[in-house]
Amino acid sequence: MNTASLGLIAGLLLGVAAAAGGFTGFLVALVLGAVGYVLGGARDGDFDLSALLRGGGRGRG
């Protein structure tokens, strides 16, 4: 199991623990699962977050 999958599982479990039940709980679990997946994928090198974190620079003349 790679780090992205572990991050996804950890995010989903945290989401369930943070907001147990209802549609809001489902959305929180979904968002935290996606964040965990992206952070785990970035750690594995599957995603490049440097472009997002760098910011600025566009549209300036």
Side-chain angles (χ1 to χ4, degrees):
M1 196 178 273
N2 61 15
T3 308
S5 297
L6 289 175
L8 174 64
I9 291 170
L12 289 172
L13 289 174
L14 285 173
V16 171
F23 186 68
T24 304
F26 169 75
L27 290 178
V28 169
L30 188 65
V31 168
L32 289 177
V35 168
Y37 180 74
V38 169
L39 291 178
R43 185 176 182 278
D44 279 347
D46 295 336
F47 304 113
D48 182 22
L49 298 179
S50 62
L52 292 175
L53 298 176
R54 197 175 323 134
R58 264 196 204 178
R60 296 182 189 179

